[in-house]
Amino acid sequence: MVRLEKRTVVSVLLFSLTPTKPYRVLLFRRSEKVSTYRKKLAPIAGSVELDDKTPLDAAWRELKEETCLGPQQIELWRRGPGFQFTDEKAVVGKDGKGETVGRTWHVWPFAFRFKKELVDEHNNVVDPSVFKMNWEHLNLEWNFVEDILDGKILDQCVPRLEITLGQVWVDPESQLYKGMEELRLDHTHGARELATMAIKSLVRIIERDDSQQREKKMGTLSSEGLERWWKDVRLQAFHLAFNARPSMSAAISSAIVNALQAAQSIVDTGGPTVMEDVKSTLEAYVARRTEIARRVSEQFSTLLKGMFPSTNQDESDRTVPIKIMTLSFSSTIKAAILHALDEDETRTIELCILESRPLFEGASFAQALTKEAQDRLQGQKAGPQIHSRLRIYVSTDASVGVLSRDADLLIIGADRISESGDVSNKTGSLPAVLTSKEVTHGSIKVICISESDKIAPPGAAEEHSEEDNDKAEVTRTWTTNLSSCWDEMVTIRNVYFEWVPAKYIDLYVCEDGVLGQDDIKTKSRLVADLTTKAFSDLSKARDF
């Protein structure tokens, strides 16, 4: 009986910065010195070691060891859900001698792309000053993506390469790719809107599948056909959840897995209209998300009512305004502020908004609020008048120490909340929290207002990706004449999000009320369970 060993590995595929037809992937010819799959074409691969915190850490380490490439030359593009298979002849002694050992492989696929072209796609020539292969490889070569997915060259490749590639490759002409690009390029909307956009993209994908099914007059899907279709839908949902906008994947993935759970019973029932029924279920879930936002606003108003009775007046019998500071543009905070004013028409608010460089979302927030007030004043929108009860100040981020001295509340949104209660929000949140706590001697209350779907599965804050964006967003307002040494000496960072530790946050307000640490941990584990349920069977692969 063949001895089987279990091994967890990463499998790293490399792509050009701007893939063009015919699409190619860079593969490596394994040397005679390796113990498995000698002379086969393969990605960069290696075991996940005990000191690797995550499979992604292992991927970066293997890339450095085998190619000398690092973050200066390449960037993470996508990751797959992973899969397992068994190969009973994985390890064979040289020249066919020695013990044959089988392996049960747990594979974590990753796709990286070059930040600049270091390998000539046509001649397989590398830049030797940066790209250096180690002893594990004989050479490298670009291969057509379709040749692998269609099985044309699989006899030359390591086992299950088509699954590795299939889990990270997205056809640039597909509906999925369009949806992912829509999320990636949107720097205007917050996590809640992006999560809704992701589900709408999934609806369009299913709509396309249903249309194609009708055009081909294929009738009712067989049970096997339905299983394949639903598995393909969930793989596309995985890409929308985790690869389109990783920095906001908590909100997007939570919405996606909840939507998939709602649709699962439809799939289990089957029937001739299953695709249409799944689409309708997802559309109904999108509609319910609007209700969640309203509930968050109601909970915030309830909190304000307890903290600031509307009868508060100063010595001149004037109503004392609630003084609130915030930053950037959160649609959830906007809705909460407006609801608070609408619920109590004697309530007044002074709102200080930090402009939030580099895209000045804070100024956009102020514009949205004044537009709302104008529309109500002119009768274009229904609702109580707010223009005389909402006083807005817009200021630079750097002035937080001056403007927060008499603030009652500092409100931040959330793009992600960790299991421990740490909050990822727009860069500038942490300085605002620390500074305002200092200048008010701790009297200011820091409140995170967010839907509960921003709560991420268990994991340390540092495990979540950091989003570094176009440096031109930072530099376009500069008038400085740059020296000839600028590019060599200066690196411009444009990091959108940062973490605010839980110890600085006084209250978390969501659609279910005020959350405590235990509530957040419970919801975090629930999200992990739903994610496992939604995607775990994508890992099953036929043994080799």
Side-chain angles (χ1 to χ4, degrees):
M1 186 174 180
V2 175
R3 179 165 62 91
L4 288 176
E5 298 175 343
K6 292 184 178 181
R7 190 68 59 86
T8 299
V9 297
V10 293
S11 188
V12 183
L13 293 160
L14 291 169
F15 297 86
S16 64
L17 176 61
T18 54
T20 56
K21 277 190 170 183
Y23 304 115
R24 295 176 174 88
V25 58
L26 189 63
L27 298 178
F28 298 80
R29 183 76 64 179
R30 291 171 65 81
S31 75
E32 288 277 6
K33 299 177 182 179
V34 297
S35 61
T36 59
Y37 311 123
R38 301 182 186 100
K39 294 186 178 181
K40 294 289 187 180
L41 288 172
I44 297 297
S47 297
V48 178
E49 306 292 350
L50 290 176
D51 56 352
D52 291 319
K53 292 182 180 179
T54 65
L56 180 57
D57 288 332
W60 279 112
R61 177 180 51 76
E62 290 292 340
L63 281 162
K64 191 67 175 177
E65 291 175 1
E66 298 185 25
T67 66
C68 293
L69 297 176
Q72 294 78 21
Q73 297 85 30
I74 54 176
E75 62 185 1
L76 177 65
W77 194 20
R78 300 186 188 122
R79 65 185 75 200
F83 64 97
Q84 297 182 53
F85 73 98
T86 297
D87 181 359
E88 294 189 351
K89 298 180 180 180
V91 183
V92 180
K94 278 197 172 184
D95 302 322
K97 300 177 182 178
E99 181 186 13
T100 297
V101 179
R103 289 257 172 93
T104 296
W105 300 103
H106 186 167
V107 183
W108 292 107
F110 292 93
F112 284 74
R113 59 182 176 185
F114 293 104
K115 290 183 175 179
K116 59 180 180 178
E117 303 307 341
L118 299 176
V119 184
D120 186 326
E121 284 194 42
H122 302 288
N123 300 312
N124 295 324
V125 177
V126 302
D127 180 349
S129 65
V130 178
F131 201 129
K132 300 175 183 178
M133 291 184 295
N134 73 352
W135 56 271
E136 297 177 57
H137 309 292
L138 296 172
N139 53 43
L140 53 76
E141 58 184 75
W142 290 97
N143 285 268
F144 295 129
V145 167
E146 287 303 317
D147 286 351
I148 298 169
L149 295 179
D150 293 342
K152 293 180 181 178
I153 63 168
L154 291 183
D155 58 335
Q156 304 176 46
C157 303
V158 295
R160 301 294 169 263
L161 181 59
E162 75 281 10
I163 297 178
T164 298
L165 177 59
Q167 286 199 354
V168 297
W169 175 252
V170 176
D171 186 344
E173 297 180 13
S174 67
Q175 185 67 53
L176 171 61
Y177 187 88
K178 294 176 184 176
M180 292 176 68
E181 284 295 281
E182 182 183 32
L183 295 174
R184 183 180 70 85
L185 297 173
D186 191 314
H187 293 166
T188 302
H189 296 97
R192 180 171 69 86
E193 293 97 330
L194 292 184
T196 299
M197 288 164 57
I199 300 172
K200 289 180 178 179
S201 290
L202 197 58
V203 167
R204 288 192 290 271
I205 289 168
I206 294 170
E207 195 170 40
R208 177 213 59 195
D209 291 347
D210 189 31
S211 176
Q212 291 176 347
Q213 181 85 354
R214 293 175 189 275
E215 288 176 4
K216 295 177 182 178
K217 299 180 180 180
M218 297 177 67
T220 304
L221 286 172
S222 65
S223 58
E224 293 82 5
L226 178 58
E227 182 181 353
R228 284 195 302 271
W229 172 75
W230 186 234
K231 188 173 183 178
D232 181 62
V233 167
R234 286 181 291 124
L235 179 58
Q236 294 182 78
F238 180 92
H239 282 298
L240 288 168
F242 298 104
N243 288 326
R245 195 70 180 275
S247 63
M248 295 189 179
S249 64
I252 298 173
S253 64
S254 180
I256 287 283
V257 299
N258 277 286
L260 291 176
Q261 183 188 39
Q264 184 63 57
S265 61
I266 304 297
V267 176
D268 292 341
T269 303
T273 61
V274 63
M275 291 185 183
E276 177 64 29
D277 294 342
V278 168
K279 182 173 80 72
S280 298
T281 300
L282 297 184
E283 288 172 335
Y285 178 77
V286 169
R288 289 198 301 274
R289 286 180 60 79
T290 303
E291 174 68 14
I292 293 174
R294 183 187 63 79
R295 287 166 53 199
V296 174
S297 297
E298 290 177 346
Q299 296 294 348
F300 178 64
S301 286
T302 300
L303 179 67
L304 287 186
K305 192 181 299 182
M307 297 177 72
F308 307 98
S310 60
T311 54
N312 273 6
Q313 295 178 323
D314 62 17
E315 295 177 354
S316 302
D317 292 330
R318 291 176 302 185
T319 301
V320 177
I322 303 171
K323 297 181 178 181
I324 298 175
M325 173 166 279
T326 190
L327 72 157
S328 193
F329 188 170
S330 162
S331 62
T332 304
I333 293 177
K334 175 193 170 188
I337 294 291
L338 291 174
H339 186 87
L341 291 166
D342 291 346
E343 185 189 53
D344 183 349
E345 294 188 40
T346 68
R347 182 174 285 150
T348 60
I349 292 176
E350 284 187 8
L351 183 64
C352 180
I353 308 173
L354 302 179
E355 64 178 357
S356 197
R357 289 267 290 149
L359 298 182
F360 307 106
E361 297 96 335
S364 299
F365 186 15
Q367 171 63 14
L369 290 171
T370 56
K371 179 66 164 59
E372 177 74 23
Q374 175 184 300
D375 289 346
R376 293 188 184 190
L377 189 63
Q378 296 176 348
Q380 297 176 19
K381 277 189 177 181
Q385 299 301 311
I386 62 173
H387 65 282
S388 62
R389 296 185 293 121
L390 176 60
R391 177 63 178 167
I392 301 171
Y393 300 88
V394 177
S395 177
T396 61
D397 299 349
S399 62
V400 61
V402 175
L403 297 177
S404 64
R405 285 182 297 193
D406 60 350
D408 300 306
L409 306 174
L410 171 58
I411 299 177
I412 62 172
D415 292 289
R416 183 189 299 262
I417 302 174
S418 76
E419 178 193 23
S420 62
D422 300 331
V423 173
S424 175
N425 196 47
K426 180 66 191 289
T427 298
S429 298
L430 182 57
V433 168
L434 293 176
T435 304
S436 62
K437 284 284 188 182
E438 175 65 25
V439 300
T440 64
H441 307 290
S443 67
I444 195 170
K445 296 296 182 185
V446 177
I447 301 176
C448 173
I449 301 181
S450 169
E451 296 86 353
S452 62
D453 65 8
K454 307 285 183 66
I455 298 173
E462 59 267 19
E463 294 177 16
H464 302 300
S465 63
E466 184 179 88
E467 184 175 312
D468 210 337
N469 293 277
D470 186 2
K471 65 182 181 180
E473 293 177 350
V474 176
T475 62
R476 66 188 177 192
T477 57
W478 295 358
T479 58
T480 306
N481 293 321
L482 305 181
S483 72
S484 58
C485 294
W486 177 272
D487 289 337
E488 180 183 353
M489 299 175 63
V490 177
T491 299
I492 298 169
R493 300 294 308 279
N494 183 16
V495 180
Y496 271 14
F497 305 103
E498 66 184 356
W499 287 95
V500 178
K503 63 182 179 180
Y504 299 120
I505 298 172
D506 297 295
L507 296 168
Y508 303 84
V509 179
C510 78
E511 68 272 16
D512 299 320
V514 176
L515 297 182
Q517 291 287 337
D518 290 341
D519 299 318
I520 292 174
K521 287 182 180 179
T522 299
K523 289 180 179 293
S524 175
R525 294 179 187 126
L526 177 61
V527 171
D529 292 342
L530 287 175
T531 303
T532 299
K533 186 176 181 180
F535 303 121
S536 62
D537 69 325
L538 300 181
S539 66
K540 297 177 182 177
R542 182 169 53 86
D543 293 339
F544 187 73

